[in-house]
Structures are given as C-alpha cells and as structure tokens.
Amino acid sequence: MKTIIVPTDFSETAYNAARYALGLAGQMDTSRIVLYHAYELIVPIPEVPTTVPMVNPEELRAASLEGLEKMKRELLPLLPDNASLETRAENSLLPAQIDQLCRQEEADLVVMGITGGSQLEEILVGSNTVDVVKHTTCPVIIVPSAARFTPIRKMVFACDFRKVVQNTPVQPLKKLLDVFRPELHVLNIDHDSKHFTSDTPYETLMLDTLLEGYNPQFHFIDHTNVVQGIMDFAVQQEADLILIIPKKHGLFEHIFKRSRTTQLAFHTHIPLLTIHE
C-alpha cells in the first residue's frame, strides 16, 4: 500500500482520523500519507444580494496551507519510519474532487473521520464523509470519533449474499486482505428468513470460493435490526474493522440514515471500511 489520503477540515474528528491513518500506515508499510484540505471559495452571483463577506482567494489558500502545516507538525512524531507526510490544498468541493484526487495521487486508501457528537455535527461531518464514499471508487475507512488505532487483526464482512460474483470487488478486497491477513468473519443478518431464498446457499458458496485462501468463517444471525445486529456482532467478536460494500438503497444507506435505531455508525468505536462494487 503506497499512498493514503487523509481529508481534513482541521476538526478534532479529522485529527483523530489522521492519527488513525498514521497507525494504519505503519501496519500497511505505507510510503506516503497526504493531508488534503478542500476549501470552497464562495463566488458571488451578479445582481443577487448576499450577506456573506467576500474572502480574498489568496488569503483563503494561505489559511488552508497554514492549517495543513500546523497539522503536519503535530502529527510528525507519529509518522512511521520510511514514510513521508505531505500536504495538498485546493479550492474545490471534497466529494466532487475526491475521485480525481485519488487517481492523481495513485491512492490506495482514503481515511477520514465521522463524528458522534451533536446532531448538527453529525449532519455536517457525517454527510460530507458519506458523500465522499459515494463519489469515489477508492476504498475508504471511516473512523468514528471514539476510535483509536489498533492493528487490524479481525474483520467482520457484512454481506447480503445477493449477486455475490457481480457485486464483490474482488481485486481491491483481496489487496487489502493480503495486507492485513485478518481473521475474517462473513456476517449475514436476517429475521425470520425473510431474505433467505433458494439462491442463498449458492451465493454463499460463491463467496466462499472468491475468498479461498483467506479462511472465512460464515455467520447467519437472526436480528430484527440489521445495523444493530452487525454492531452487536462486531463488538462481541472484538473486531478491529467492519467491511461493507456500498450499494444503492443498500446497507450503507441504512447505516447512515438519520433515525434513532440506525445512528450507530456515528457512535460505534469500530472503524468502517467501504469498497465499491
């Protein structure tokens, strides 16, 4: 794993994610960590009144670079040997720029934070993180504000066993599994077998075949709430990482939905790895 990108807004949540990324870089033998700040310059629309004060673009960029250098100085003592810590600032929207940035930097992984603080923080920081996941094909690790780095030894792969061959990103998944070599637990949550079909045994066999060599352990658990079931299982197993494959109208949306029963992604201490299908 050559390069990790760490988007930052200079919040404590972002600093925590950066510290996690540096710990991860040590385990992954990463050579580059890029701290990235996307600042958005507000452009006035002619003949439309605004109360937002105008900002000099050069001053905005200078402030961004200053923030990045301060963050770099504070993180340098945690930098693994033989790794470099670089900075990059751009006038852009992070979700719109992230995929191009990953290609330019030849990134293997994006690491960024998500907050478990106030409702406003969850909306602002949470939605930005979710938008990044939706707009990049690069694997993303989402680091909850309560998470502290521990080496990835045990991973829970939450799977719905639907069109496994078509939907599983085999190459990036195996690339990460080869780095971590974790104890791998494949988890399916259902209730009263509502989603169990005649294809489920076949799909399970296909996933087992795709994961040949990684010794996956399969678990089928009955729970009325999928997200709660995943989190409970991950905590019980003392997992270091939860893996999901984002799909439209799938598990990822359920995890980040703004309801009382599915806010767990904002409050769990276990980081979440997303790899696009």
Side-chain angles (χ1 to χ4, degrees):
M1 288 287 175
K2 178 184 174 184
T3 301
I4 296 176
I5 291 177
V6 184
T8 179
D9 60 1
F10 308 121
S11 64
E12 178 50 39
T13 297
Y15 267 84
N16 183 61
R19 289 189 290 268
Y20 184 93
L22 292 177
L24 197 62
Q27 181 181 2
M28 299 170 68
D29 198 24
T30 301
S31 57
R32 296 173 67 235
I33 301 98
V34 181
L35 300 176
Y36 177 74
H37 182 232
Y39 58 92
E40 184 188 5
L41 179 63
I42 299 174
V43 179
I45 302 174
E47 300 178 0
V48 175
T50 177
T51 58
V52 179
M54 294 306 301
V55 179
N56 183 301
E58 293 304 319
E59 291 179 357
L60 194 60
R61 178 171 177 77
S64 177
L65 292 173
E66 182 180 352
L68 285 169
E69 286 303 314
K70 177 177 180 293
M71 191 172 188
K72 179 178 178 178
R73 287 194 302 272
E74 294 183 18
L75 293 173
L76 276 175
L78 303 176
L79 186 66
D81 294 337
N82 303 318
S84 65
L85 186 58
E86 304 173 15
T87 61
R88 178 168 172 174
E90 289 179 330
N91 175 20
S92 65
L93 285 170
L94 178 59
Q97 181 68 14
I98 189 65
D99 208 36
Q100 180 179 345
L101 174 70
C102 289
R103 289 195 299 269
Q104 290 173 348
E105 297 289 349
E106 298 181 347
D108 299 291
L109 185 66
V110 175
V111 176
M112 63 186 303
I114 195 164
T115 186
S118 69
Q119 186 176 8
L120 179 60
E121 285 177 325
E122 290 179 6
I123 291 171
L124 295 177
V125 180
S127 60
N128 203 32
T129 303
V130 173
D131 285 343
V132 165
V133 172
K134 289 179 178 179
H135 287 84
T136 182
T137 55
C138 188
V140 179
I141 289 184
I142 301 171
V143 183
S145 56
R148 301 296 179 266
F149 176 74
T150 57
I152 308 301
R153 306 291 185 217
K154 187 179 290 191
M155 183 184 300
V156 171
F157 178 9
C159 182
D160 60 10
F161 292 111
R162 297 178 187 174
K163 299 181 178 179
V164 163
V165 174
Q166 299 94 315
N167 294 338
T168 304
V170 176
Q171 185 176 354
L173 174 58
K174 287 188 174 182
K175 187 176 181 180
L176 286 166
L177 290 176
D178 285 339
V179 171
F180 297 134
R181 302 305 304 187
E183 180 181 311
L184 182 60
H185 295 264
V186 179
L187 174 66
N188 178 258
I189 302 289
D190 202 351
H191 181 57
D192 292 336
S193 299
K194 289 180 181 178
H195 301 291
F196 188 94
T197 71
S198 58
D199 291 330
T200 303
Y202 170 78
E203 296 290 346
T204 305
L205 178 60
M206 287 297 97
L207 185 58
D208 190 37
T209 301
L210 290 175
L211 294 174
E212 184 178 5
Y214 300 100
N215 304 314
Q217 301 176 42
F218 287 81
H219 307 264
F220 297 84
I221 293 178
D222 187 288
H223 201 292
T224 55
N225 183 282
V226 174
V227 176
Q228 183 74 54
I230 293 169
M231 298 302 175
D232 288 350
F233 179 83
V235 170
Q236 178 188 5
Q237 291 292 327
E238 298 182 342
D240 303 300
L241 197 65
I242 298 171
L243 164 66
I244 62 171
I245 299 172
K247 300 176 183 177
K248 191 174 182 181
H249 308 304
L251 178 61
F252 187 73
E253 276 71 19
H254 283 294
I255 286 177
F256 290 97
K257 222 166 124 185
R258 292 293 188 275
S259 70
R260 183 173 300 174
T261 57
T262 55
Q263 287 179 341
L264 289 167
F266 295 100
H267 300 283
T268 180
H269 65 281
I270 303 175
L272 188 68
L273 167 63
T274 70
I275 306 177
H276 269 281
E277 57 184 307

